Amino acid sequence: MIETKEQDVSHPTQRDAAIEQIAANLGVRAERGKRFAELTSLRVGGAVDWVLSPLTEEQAATLVHGLEQKEIGWRPLGSGSNVLADDGAHHYVILSLKELKADPVFDGARVSVTAGYSLPRLCIDSARRGLSGIEGLNGIPGTVGGALWMNAGAFGQEIGTVVETVRVARGGRVIEIPGREVKWNYRHTSFQEGELLLGATLVLHPGDAEEIRARMEQAKGQRMATQPHGARSAGCFFKNPPASAIGTGKMIDDLGMKGTRKGGAVVSPKHANFIVTEGDDARAEDALALAEEIRERVRREHGIDLEYEVELWSSSQNPER
Ligand SMILES: Cc1cc2nc3c(=O)[nH]c(=O)nc-3n(C[C@H](O)[C@H](O)[C@H](O)COP(=O)(O)OP(=O)(O)OC[C@H]3O[C@@H](n4cnc5c(N)ncnc54)[C@H](O)[C@@H]3O)c2cc1C
């Protein structure tokens, strides 16, 4: 997600001063000198100009409006568990949602939650109240905003199916839109680039707390048994092809690619659709080269073009270029 409008703060110094001013006016923490390697679960990726961390939905809405008025490019980031950013210098603002994490408000089967709140934590909170509908998502290590953005799903559940409304930032205000107006597809939604998701109200289903907890544990157990645990990954790298009877992981495994390495990136020996990074010298270009090698092999052997599930962020798409 990136704004590509022309900068009206043409010089980097003017732009930096404008960013600092906008953040200071709102009392938003503004940090410099961060790298994607610190911000994403793959632990690779280049330098980021600025990281701004709003604390409330209103603050976040005002903040992006201020940036847009100055035509300063920005991208939202949650936990960074589905992003591979390249090794170059990324000259735009990262709007980190991780501090936007007020406690969810439950009202019967409804829960209102902010974008930066942890999805696994929300699953646990809901299960404790005997609310079903998202217990299968418990092991997805990201924020609610990131889950909404790509309609995260697992074990037969997807977040989009329980969304009543989504709060978004428009014109400096917090606007609520009905969930039924959003297209919730397989790891993809109709949210447009430049849309900042601030929070959502979900409607869950009352059920037996013990049974919900048991389903959550079962999903967790299955995940632990089939996926690398504690490794630096971004989950499944590629989507499952819609017309294929076999999943992507099995396809890559059948090609004998588990354990294949490029520099600091390895096809996980546990799950072939996971690329993990290892060591201090791992680079985004290693992961990308390995991913492209997998795509090439799958194209050659199966005639299938794998689609990335992980988002690739390129520094050459910097808005001021
Ligand atoms: C071990 C592991 C297992 C995983 N298993 C699964 C799984 O089973 N199912 C699944 O669906 N995913 C899975 N994932 C991928 C990932 O966890 C999910 O996609 C998650 O929902 C991403 O949330 P995030 O906060 O980390 O988003 P980020 O990675 O920070 O961002 C992802 C995208 O969402 C956008 N975004 C984030 N927040 C906002 C916001 N507030 N407003 C607008 N855009 C926003 C970002 O700009 C980016 O484009 C897994 C990842 C790992 C590491």
Side-chain angles (χ1 to χ4, degrees), residues 1 39-41 74-83 95 97-98 115-116 119 136-137 139-155 187 191 195-199 223 227-228 231-236 274 309 311 313:
M1 170 177 310
L39 302 172
T40 61
S41 56
W74 58 275
R75 277 176 162 162
L77 189 70
S79 297
S81 63
N82 202 43
V83 169
L95 193 83
L97 278 309
K98 280 180 74 176
L119 180 64
L137 314 185
I140 302 179
T143 60
V144 168
L148 291 168
W149 173 256
M150 52 90 77
N151 191 20
F155 300 100
R187 307 298 168 266
F191 293 120
E195 189 89 274
L196 179 64
L197 312 180
L198 299 168
R223 210 176 259 279
Q227 298 181 0
R232 293 159 22 180
S233 86
C236 286
F274 276 55
E309 179 164 329
E311 292 207 13
W313 285 8

Side-chain angles (χ1 to χ4, degrees), residues 150-167:
M150 52 90 77
N151 191 20
F155 300 100
Q157 294 179 333
E158 287 183 338
I159 195 161
T161 60
V162 293
V163 173
E164 184 175 55
T165 57
V166 183
R167 296 184 293 281

